[in-house]
C-alpha cells in the first residue's frame, strides 16, 4: 500500500556537513505502511574562489513542500508508466493509494503492532508459568509497555538485498494469504492492463483550487506552499509523465498562478534594479534575495484584511461619558471588586470610546477574563445606559474558551455554531434557537482568544456586527496559540484601531514569575535563567526520562490535592503518558482497575479516572437526563461505568480547600466513549490555553514551539515546570544509543525554540513590514 498525505512535512537535522531532508507523509493510522522519500542534501557548496562554504539550511527547509510534491508525483508516474499500477485519491482527499491491494493484506503488513502483540503473548505466558495465574489489567499494561520497548528495532545497516527482502515478506504473507505477494501483484497489475487515459483537468480550475487551499492555511505563503497545493489539486493520474515533465508541470502552474492571481507581499530591496549581472541568479533575481523568502496572498484575502482594518477606525458605537464610567468603577471598588490600573483603563476605554471595533490584549495571567466579565456587567447595566437594555454576546473558536466566557456572565457560543446560525437567519431558515442569537443595535460582541480565530471568520463576524449596528471587541494574545488557518486578524486590528493591553501578570504567586512570564512572552531568552534558578527547568535527558519525570511531578501534585496540568507535544504522546499515569494511580488505589475500552487511544477508563472529550456532542443533551452534552477537550471525573461501554462522568470545575469541585453528572453512551473519549491526564497545549490551575508540568522537546512553551509555562499559579529533553535519539535507535548521544544544555534547547518566536501576521502586515525593512 502506498499513501501520500497532502500536507508533506519536512525534517532537517544538521549533522556536520550534511542536511538530512526527509519528506514524509503521515496517514494518522500507525498500522499502515507508508511510502516516503529521503533526500540527503550536502549543505556545502564550492564557490568560484575554490572555497567550500555552508548553505543556509533554513532556506532549504522552505522548499520542503514543493520538493515533496515533485518527488511523490515523479514516483507515482514512474510506477504507473513502468508497471501499470493505478493510484487513486482516497475519499477523504488526504492521500493517494495504489488500487487493488486487499484490505486484509494492508492489515497484515503491520509489523510493529504484530511484533508487540506476539511479544506480549510470550510475556503473558511466562507470567502465568511463574505466578500460576493470569495477569490483571495493571500487570498486563506493564507487560504491553515492556513488549513495546523490547520490539523497538533499530534500522539495519548490515544490508539486505531486495530479493532477500521480498522473499522474507512473501514467506510471512503466505502463512496468512494464499498466493503471497505474487497474488497481490497479479491483482494490482490486472487492473493496470486495461488502457487508461490521463484524467481530464482544467489548469484554471487546478490553480483556483490550489489558491483557495493555500490561502485557507496561511495568511502569507511562498512558492513552495503553492506548489504543494498545486500538486494536491491535480488529478491522481497525469498520463505517465517523466520526471522532467512533472517538475515543469508543477513549476509552470505555480508560476502562472503567481503571475496572474497572487499579490506579492515582499518588497524589493534598495537599488534592486541596479544589481550587476554577476550578482544575479540564473533566473535574473538578485543574489541577495532570500531563497523562498518571497511571500504572496490572494487579492480577495487582502481585500478582507483591508476591510477588517478599515472598520477599526470607525466610531458611532454606544458609549457612556467619562464620569459615568468612573462612577461605575468606583462602585465596584466600594463593593470589594478592585481593578488594577491597567484593567480600569481598559474598562473605561471600551465603555467611553464609541469605537466600532477595538482590541484587548491580555498576556497570560493578567486577568483578561476578569476584565471581560466586568465589561459585560457594565454593558448590561440599564442604569449606566439611561434605562436601555443592552446585551453581550461571547464568541470563541474553542468550546473550552466559550465555557470560560459563560462563566464570566456572557451568553456564549463557539464561532462555528454562531456563524452557522447567522447564515440560517440570513437565508430565512433560522430555528427558534437561532432567533435568540440575532444581533440587535447596541449589542456588544466579544470574540475571546481571537488570535486563534481565522481571519476569514473574523471578517464574517465583522460584517454581521456592522449590519446590526453593534460593537465588536476582540480579546486574546497574539503571542499565544494562533489560528489553525490563515490568522493574524486580531493583531492587524490591534495595529490600526484602539488597543488596550494589560500589563501586570497577577496569576502567579511568586513575585519573580510575574515579570519572568512577560519576558518569556516577548521571546527574551534571559528569562530562561530565572526559571532555571528557581528550579523550574529540569534537565530530563531522553524523552522517556522526561515523560516519567513530568508524570511523577504531576502525580505528586494531583495526589496532594492540587489541580495540575501535564502538557505534551502530540496526542500520541498524551496517550502514552496518560496510560503511565493511570497505571500508577491504580497502584496507589485511587483508580478502579477494571474499566471500559477507549478506542481512540487503545486504553481503558474506570471509576476515578480523569477522561477528556475529543468531540463536541450537542445531541447528547437530554440523553438519560443530561443537561448538556460533552465539550471538546473538557476534562471529566469518571463516576461509574456502564454495561454498554459508556461512562457516567462529571466535569472537573476546579479544586478548593474542601477538595475537587465537580459539575452536573453526565451520561456518555458506549458508542461515544469508544470513539471520542481519551484519558485526560496528559494533553496537548491546545487543551490548556485559557485554563488556570495550581501547577503545570510541560514536557519540552525540540519540536515544542515558542507559543506552546509560553502557554505551557504560564498556566499554574504556584509552579510551572519544564522537563526538557536534552538527549535526542531517533525512535528506532539501537539500545544504548542514548549513552553515546550528545547531551545539550536545557537552556540551549529552549532558546532554539524561542528563536522562532514570531506570531503569524496578517498579509498586509507582512507587506508593510517588508517595505519598512527594504
Amino acid at each position: 500500500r502506498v499513501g501520500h498525505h497532502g500536507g508533506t512535512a519536512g525534517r532537517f537535522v544538521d549533522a556536520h556537513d550534511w542536511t538530512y531532508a526527509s519528506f514524509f507523509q503521515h496517514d494518522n493510522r500507525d498500522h499502515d505502511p507508508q511510502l516516503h522519500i529521503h533526500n540527503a542534501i550536502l549543505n556545502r557548496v564550492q564557490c568560484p574562489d575554490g572555497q567550500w562554504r555552508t548553505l543556509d539550511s533554513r532556506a532549504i527547509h522552505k522548499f520542503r513542500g514543493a520538493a515533496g510534491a515533485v518527488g511523490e508525483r515523479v514516483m507515482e508516474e514512474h510506477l504507473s508508466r513502468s508497471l501499470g499500477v493505478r493510484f487513486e485519491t482516497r475519499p477523504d482527499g488526504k492521500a493517494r493509494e495504489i488500487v487493488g491491494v486487499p484490505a486484509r493484506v494492508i492489515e497484515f503488513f503491520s509489523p510493529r503492532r504484530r511484533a508487540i502483540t506476539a511479544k506480549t503473548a510470550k510475556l503473558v505466558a511466562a507470567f502465568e508459568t511463574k505466578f500460576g495465574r493470569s495477569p490483571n489489567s495493571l500487570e498486563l499494561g506493564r507487560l504491553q509497555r515492556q513488549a513495546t520497548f523490547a520490539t523497538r528495532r533499530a534500522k539495519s545497516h548490515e544490508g539486505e538485498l531486495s530479493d532477500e527482502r521480498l522473499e522474507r515478506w512473501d514467506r510471512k504473507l503466505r502463512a496468512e494469504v494464499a498466493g503471497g505477494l505474487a497474488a497481490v501483484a497479479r491483482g494490482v497489475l490486472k487492473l493496470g492492463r486495461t488502457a487508461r487515459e490521463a484524467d481530464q483537468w482544467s489548469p484554471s480550475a487546478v490553480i483556483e483550487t490550489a489558491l483557495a487551499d493555500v490561502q485557507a492555511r496561511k495568511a502569507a505563503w511562498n512558492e513552495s506552499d503553492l506548489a504543494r497545493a498545486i500538486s494536491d489539486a491535480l488529478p491522481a493520474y497525469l498520463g505517465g509523465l517523466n520526471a522532467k515533465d512533472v517538475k515543469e508541470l508543477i513549476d509552470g502552474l505555480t508560476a502562472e498562478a503567481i503571475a496572474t492571481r497572487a499579490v506579492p507581499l515582499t518588497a524589493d530591496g534598495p537599488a534592486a534594479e541596479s544589481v550587476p549581472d554577476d550578482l544575479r541568479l540564473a533566473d535574473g533575481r538578485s543574489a541577495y534575495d532570500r531563497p523562498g523568502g518571497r511571500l504572496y496572498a490572494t487579492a480577495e484575502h487582502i481585500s478582507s484584511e483591508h476591510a477588517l482594518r478599515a472598520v477599526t477606525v470607525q466610531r458611532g458605537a454606544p458609549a457612556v461619558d467619562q464620569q459615568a464610567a468612573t462612577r461605575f468603577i468606583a462602585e465596584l471598588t466600594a463593593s470589594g471588586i478592585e481593578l488594577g490600573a491597567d484593567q480600569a483603563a481598559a474598562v473605561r476605554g471600551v465603555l467611553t470610546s464609541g469605537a466600532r471595533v477595538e482590541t484587548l490584549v491580555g498576556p497570560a495571567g493578567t486577568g483578561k477574563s476578569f476584565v471581560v466579565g466586568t465589561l459585560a456587567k457594565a454593558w448590561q447595566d440599564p442604569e449606566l445606559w439611561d434605562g436601555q437594555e443592552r446585551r453581550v454576546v461571547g464568541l470563541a473558536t474553542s468550546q473550552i474558551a466559550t465555557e470560560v466566557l459563560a462563566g464570566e456572565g456572557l451568553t456564549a457560543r463557539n464561532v462555528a455554531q454562531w456563524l452557522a446560525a447567522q447564515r440560517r437567519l440570513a437565508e430565512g431558515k433560522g430555528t427558534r434557537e437561532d432567533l435568540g442569537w440575532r444581533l440587535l443595535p447596541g449589542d456588544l460582541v466579544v470574540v475571546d482568544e481571537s488570535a486563534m480565530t481565522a481571519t476569514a471568520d473574523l471578517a464574517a463576524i465583522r460584517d454581521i456586527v456592522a449590519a446590526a449596528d453593534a460593537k465588536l471587541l476582540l480579546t486574546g494574545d497574539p503571542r499565544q496559540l494562533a489560528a489553525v488557518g490563515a490568522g493574524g486578524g486580531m493583531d492587524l486590528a490591534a495595529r490600526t484601531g484602539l488597543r488596550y493591553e494589560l500589563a501586570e501578570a497577577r496569576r502567579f504567586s511568586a513575585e519573580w514569575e510575574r515579570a519572568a512570564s512577560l519576558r518569556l512572552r516577548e521571546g527574551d531568552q534571559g528569562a530562561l535563567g530565572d526559571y532555571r534558578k528557581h528550579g523550574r527547568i529540569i534537565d530530563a535527558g531522553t524523552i522517556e526520562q522526561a515523560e516519567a519525570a513530568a508524570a511523577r511531578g504531576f502525580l505528586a501534585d494531583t495526589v496532594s490535592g492540587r489541580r495540575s496540568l501535564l502538557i505534551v507535544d502530540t496526542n500520541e504522546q498524551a496517550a502514552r503518558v496518560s496510560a503511565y499515569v493511570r497505571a500508577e494511580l491504580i497502584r496507589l488505589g485511587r483508580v478502579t482497575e477494571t474499566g471500559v475500552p477507549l478506542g481512540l487511544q487503545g486504553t481503558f477508563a474506570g471509576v476515578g479516572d480523569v477522561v477528556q472529550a475529543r468531540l463536541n456532542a450537542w445531541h447528547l443533551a437530554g440523553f438519560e437526563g443530561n443537561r448538556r452534552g460533552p465539550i471538546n477537550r473538557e476534562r471529566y471525573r469518571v463516576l461509574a461505568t456502564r454495561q454498554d461501554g459508556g461512562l457516567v462522568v462529571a466535569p472537573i470545575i476546579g479544586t478548593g480547600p474542601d477538595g475537587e469541585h465537580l459539575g452536573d453528572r453526565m451520561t456518555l453512551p458506549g458508542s461515544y466513549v469508544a470513539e471520542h473519549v481519551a484519558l485526560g491526564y496528559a494533553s496537548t497545549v491546545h487543551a490548556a490555553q485559557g485554563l488556570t490551575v495550581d501547577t503545570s508540568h510541560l514536557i519540552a522537546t525540540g519540536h515544542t514551539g515558542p507559543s506552546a512553551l509560553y502557554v505551557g509555562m504560564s498556566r499554574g499559579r504556584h509552579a510551572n515546570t519544564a522537563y526538557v529533553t536534552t538527549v535526542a535519539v531517533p525512535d528506532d535507535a539501537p539500545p544504548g544509543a542514548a549513552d553515546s548521544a550528545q547531551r545539550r544544555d536545557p537552556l540551549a534547547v529552549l532558546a532554539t525554540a524561542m528563536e522562532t518566536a514570531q506570531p503569524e501576521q496578517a498579509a498586509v502586515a507582512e507587506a508593510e513590514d517588508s517595505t519598512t525593512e527594504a
Side-chain angles (χ1 to χ4, degrees):
R1 175 188 178 278
V2 178
H4 294 310
H5 187 278
T8 304
R11 179 181 63 189
F12 291 74
V13 181
D14 288 334
H16 304 294
D17 291 347
W18 290 90
T19 291
Y20 174 69
S22 174
F23 303 104
F24 55 94
Q25 289 61 249
H26 297 283
D27 195 60
N28 296 324
R29 292 183 289 181
D30 60 2
H31 59 277
D32 288 342
Q34 299 166 14
L35 184 72
H36 53 280
I37 305 159
H38 293 265
N39 292 314
I41 302 172
L42 180 66
N43 70 350
R44 300 293 176 93
V45 63
Q46 190 173 25
C47 299
D49 61 3
Q51 294 294 316
W52 286 84
R53 294 185 173 89
T54 304
L55 295 174
D56 180 5
S57 296
R58 291 189 179 182
I60 298 174
H61 188 264
K62 292 178 180 178
F63 291 94
R64 67 191 187 278
V70 171
E72 292 164 13
R73 285 287 181 176
V74 167
M75 180 275 306
E76 292 173 15
E77 293 295 303
H78 173 72
L79 292 179
S80 299
R81 187 175 61 252
S82 60
L83 299 179
V85 298
R86 292 190 177 188
F87 287 85
E88 294 291 352
T89 302
R90 259 187 6 208
D92 61 9
K94 294 182 178 181
R96 291 186 294 274
E97 302 177 343
I98 287 181
V99 178
V101 182
R104 60 195 181 115
V105 176
I106 296 176
E107 186 64 30
F108 174 80
F109 280 100
S110 311
R112 180 83 173 113
R113 180 167 296 183
R114 291 170 63 86
I116 293 172
T117 302
K119 182 65 176 177
T120 301
K122 292 180 179 179
L123 293 175
V124 169
F127 182 96
E128 292 173 343
T129 300
K130 181 176 181 179
F131 296 101
R133 63 176 177 84
S134 298
N136 59 34
S137 62
L138 172 60
E139 293 162 338
L140 180 59
R142 288 176 174 170
L143 292 176
Q144 288 172 334
R145 288 198 301 276
Q146 183 180 343
T148 300
F149 289 111
T151 57
R152 180 176 289 175
R153 185 172 59 87
K155 291 183 178 178
S156 172
H157 298 284
E158 298 177 357
E160 181 182 36
L161 298 177
S162 59
D163 287 346
E164 294 173 341
R165 182 169 61 251
L166 288 172
E167 288 176 4
R168 174 169 56 83
W169 288 349
D170 191 44
R171 283 196 306 271
K172 293 172 61 178
L173 185 60
R174 283 180 181 275
E176 301 284 338
V177 178
L181 286 177
V184 175
R186 284 193 297 270
V188 171
L189 296 178
K190 183 179 179 180
L191 295 174
R193 286 178 186 148
T194 57
R196 182 184 183 187
E197 297 293 330
D199 295 330
Q200 297 297 311
W201 55 277
S202 162
S204 60
V206 166
I207 289 174
E208 184 176 352
T209 301
L211 285 170
D213 178 45
V214 74
Q215 192 64 76
R217 297 173 186 271
K218 293 182 177 182
W221 38 267
N222 60 22
E223 285 186 59
S224 178
D225 297 326
L226 180 57
R228 171 80 260 177
I230 289 283
S231 177
D232 292 342
L234 286 168
Y237 179 58
L238 300 176
L241 301 182
N242 59 35
K244 180 174 180 292
D245 291 337
V246 168
K247 181 179 182 301
E248 289 181 352
L249 174 63
I250 293 177
D251 286 352
L253 289 172
T254 302
E256 182 181 349
I258 288 177
T260 60
R261 296 286 303 279
V263 177
L265 306 177
T266 305
D268 288 330
E273 298 301 322
S274 304
V275 174
D277 291 342
D278 58 352
L279 288 177
R280 291 188 181 277
L281 304 179
D283 60 4
R285 290 183 299 143
S286 167
Y288 293 107
D289 278 359
R290 293 174 182 167
R294 288 189 170 268
L295 299 177
Y296 304 89
T298 62
E300 295 82 3
H301 182 81
I302 290 178
S303 295
S304 68
E305 289 188 350
H306 278 306
L308 177 62
R309 186 162 66 172
V311 77
T312 61
V313 298
Q314 295 178 4
R315 297 295 185 267
V320 300
D321 58 42
Q322 288 284 349
Q323 290 182 341
T326 300
R327 186 168 58 251
F328 170 77
I329 294 172
E331 290 172 355
L332 288 179
T333 303
S335 66
I337 303 174
E338 188 166 352
L339 298 173
D342 55 344
Q343 294 174 327
V347 171
R348 185 180 294 107
V350 173
L351 290 176
T352 61
S353 70
R356 292 288 184 185
V357 178
E358 49 196 337
T359 57
L360 171 64
V361 178
T366 54
K368 171 179 62 65
S369 297
F370 173 62
V371 171
V372 170
T374 303
L375 281 169
K377 177 180 174 64
W379 206 266
Q380 297 172 108
D381 185 355
E383 293 185 6
L384 205 59
W385 302 96
D386 297 328
Q388 295 184 54
E389 296 285 344
R390 300 195 183 279
R391 302 185 310 168
V392 180
V393 176
L395 302 176
T397 298
S398 76
Q399 191 60 33
I400 290 290
T402 304
E403 294 301 311
V404 172
L405 285 175
E408 295 295 338
L410 284 74
T411 302
R413 202 168 194 184
N414 74 43
V415 169
Q417 281 188 311
W418 188 81
L419 286 176
Q422 298 304 315
R423 283 192 291 270
R424 289 192 294 269
L425 289 170
E427 296 168 357
K429 301 176 182 178
T431 65
R432 179 177 298 179
E433 183 183 4
D434 292 340
L435 294 175
W437 293 99
R438 189 189 296 277
L439 292 182
L440 301 175
D443 284 351
L444 173 64
V445 178
V446 179
V447 183
D448 196 24
E449 303 294 358
S450 55
M452 296 179 67
T453 305
T455 299
D457 287 340
L458 287 182
I461 294 170
R462 170 213 66 207
D463 291 343
I464 296 168
V465 170
D469 196 24
K471 178 184 176 77
L472 178 61
L473 175 64
L474 306 178
T475 72
D477 183 9
R479 293 286 181 174
Q480 297 186 47
L481 298 181
V484 175
M490 178 196 176
D491 186 57
L492 180 67
R495 283 182 174 220
T496 309
L498 288 179
R499 165 191 176 126
Y500 311 98
E501 183 159 351
L502 304 180
E504 182 182 349
R506 300 167 171 84
R507 173 180 296 162
F508 313 104
S509 58
E511 189 70 30
W512 69 267
E513 194 167 7
R514 298 177 182 180
S517 71
L518 295 175
R519 292 170 60 202
L520 186 67
R521 174 180 179 269
E522 294 300 322
D524 181 357
Q525 297 179 13
L528 297 174
D530 292 340
Y531 282 93
R532 178 185 235 177
K533 182 171 63 177
H534 290 87
R536 301 292 183 79
I537 295 179
I538 308 297
D539 183 342
T542 65
I543 184 62
E544 290 85 3
Q545 292 169 328
E547 290 173 354
R552 287 194 298 270
F554 169 80
L555 278 167
D557 286 339
T558 301
V559 170
S560 64
R562 288 183 167 186
R563 189 181 182 195
S564 186
L565 289 175
L566 180 53
I567 303 173
V568 298
D569 282 337
T570 66
N571 289 325
E572 292 77 12
Q573 190 181 14
R576 183 170 65 248
V577 176
S578 289
Y580 173 85
V581 171
R582 181 175 194 268
E584 290 301 301
L585 290 172
I586 292 173
R587 184 178 63 82
L588 294 171
R590 290 179 169 265
V591 171
T592 301
E593 181 180 332
T594 57
V596 300
L598 307 178
L600 192 63
Q601 295 177 325
T603 53
F604 290 82
V607 175
D609 268 318
V610 174
V611 296
Q612 183 185 77
R614 295 307 307 275
L615 182 74
N616 293 326
W618 317 114
H619 65 282
L620 292 181
F623 176 77
E624 298 201 7
N626 289 348
R627 297 186 64 179
R628 65 172 175 85
I631 295 171
N632 184 35
R633 298 191 183 276
E634 188 175 42
R635 297 164 74 238
Y636 307 91
R637 180 71 65 183
V638 177
L639 305 179
T641 58
R642 290 163 48 95
Q643 291 294 323
D644 68 345
L647 295 171
V648 179
V649 301
I652 300 175
I653 299 175
T655 56
D658 56 343
E660 187 175 65
H661 296 168
L662 300 177
D664 295 330
R665 290 167 64 98
M666 185 185 306
T667 300
L668 307 179
S671 57
Y672 179 85
V673 171
E675 296 186 26
H676 307 300
V677 172
L679 289 175
Y681 299 111
S683 63
T684 65
V685 72
H686 290 85
Q689 177 153 327
L691 296 180
T692 300
V693 295
D694 296 322
T695 63
S696 174
H697 301 269
L698 169 70
I699 300 173
T701 70
H703 302 294
T704 304
S707 296
L709 175 64
Y710 173 54
V711 172
M713 293 296 285
S714 59
R715 299 302 97 197
R717 299 183 186 92
H718 308 303
N720 297 279
T721 306
Y723 301 80
V724 185
T725 302
T726 54
V727 179
V729 294
D731 291 340
D732 58 359
D739 296 334
S740 59
Q742 182 179 3
R743 181 181 289 269
R744 298 182 65 194
D745 185 276
L747 295 194
V749 176
L750 297 181
T752 301
M754 292 176 66
E755 286 178 357
T756 60
Q758 178 62 44
E760 181 183 10
Q761 294 193 121
V764 295
E766 289 280 5
E768 290 167 353
D769 287 354
S770 177
T771 300
T772 302
E773 182 182 355

